[in-house]
Amino acid sequence: AFLRGVSPMNAKMPALKASFESAGFTQVRTVLASGNVVFRSGLDEAGVRKALGQRLQAYAGKPVGVLVRSAAEIAAVAAGNPFPHAAGNRVVALFVDEILPTDPLTGVTGLRDEQLVLGTREIFVHYGDGMADSRLRIPYAQQGTARNLNTVGKLAAMAAALGQATSDSRGRR
């Protein structure tokens, strides 16, 4: 799960983890102090978002946007990086809830040396000179949340390990 609007300064990871556990999720792991959570659930994506909605609002004191991806989807985003030779901290995947519309880049402004490539439910952005001086604005970004590819790679590895640990504990792969 990717949480929108949870900053490293106010994210209390033990309380966040407890919120996920009280929603019935297991093997909850937080990644960095920025709203990245890996966990196990038998619910589908909509069910996960619904189960988390009220608990996260109570945790944060305001509605928290939640974007959910399966372990396979995160692995596919990490593997599908269209900028594999670029530094992972200069490439982000902007995750959105829905399948991208025909032209999600309508209204993009401030494009300089950045490169954009469409994924399935993500937009990859390569910030050639870094994000600090970028003026890039993607209107569709208001509906999503971005993570750099270093973080996406960590999440994919954690989710894979979580799945592996579960299958190992059951005596199968």
Side-chain angles (χ1 to χ4, degrees), residues 39-128:
F39 57 93
R40 293 196 59 76
S41 173
L43 299 174
D44 65 8
E45 183 177 331
V48 169
R49 277 199 310 268
K50 183 178 178 182
L52 288 174
Q54 291 179 337
R55 284 176 173 78
L56 289 173
Q57 184 166 347
Y59 162 76
K62 63 179 182 178
V64 175
V66 178
L67 287 95
V68 178
R69 296 294 187 276
S70 69
E73 288 172 316
I74 291 296
V77 170
N81 175 8
F83 308 105
H85 301 295
N89 64 340
R90 294 206 176 190
V91 178
V92 302
L94 170 62
F95 293 95
V96 296
D97 270 337
E98 305 297 326
I99 299 295
L100 295 173
T102 304
D103 191 2
L105 302 180
T106 298
V108 168
T109 61
L111 186 65
R112 293 188 295 192
D113 70 333
E114 301 89 354
Q115 297 174 306
L116 291 83
V117 174
L118 302 180
T120 305
R121 291 196 302 163
E122 60 282 336
I123 300 170
F124 293 94
V125 182
H126 176 231
Y127 290 90

Side-chain angles (χ1 to χ4, degrees), residues 131-161:
M131 291 180 234
D133 294 325
S134 177
R135 300 288 183 248
L136 181 64
R137 298 291 176 262
I138 304 170
Y140 207 73
Q142 299 302 316
Q143 301 173 30
T145 189
R147 299 297 187 271
N148 74 42
L149 268 287
N150 290 341
T151 299
V152 172
K154 287 178 188 176
L155 292 166
M158 286 182 70

Side-chain angles (χ1 to χ4, degrees), residues 24-49:
F25 303 119
T26 60
Q27 296 178 301
V28 178
R29 310 280 187 274
T30 57
V31 184
L32 307 172
S34 59
N36 303 301
V37 187
V38 176
F39 57 93
R40 293 196 59 76
S41 173
L43 299 174
D44 65 8
E45 183 177 331
V48 169
R49 277 199 310 268

Side-chain angles (χ1 to χ4, degrees), residues 26-27 40 159-173:
T26 60
Q27 296 178 301
R40 293 196 59 76
L162 190 65
Q164 183 63 43
T166 301
S167 64
D168 285 349
S169 71
R170 294 179 182 162
R172 60 186 168 174
R173 290 193 176 264

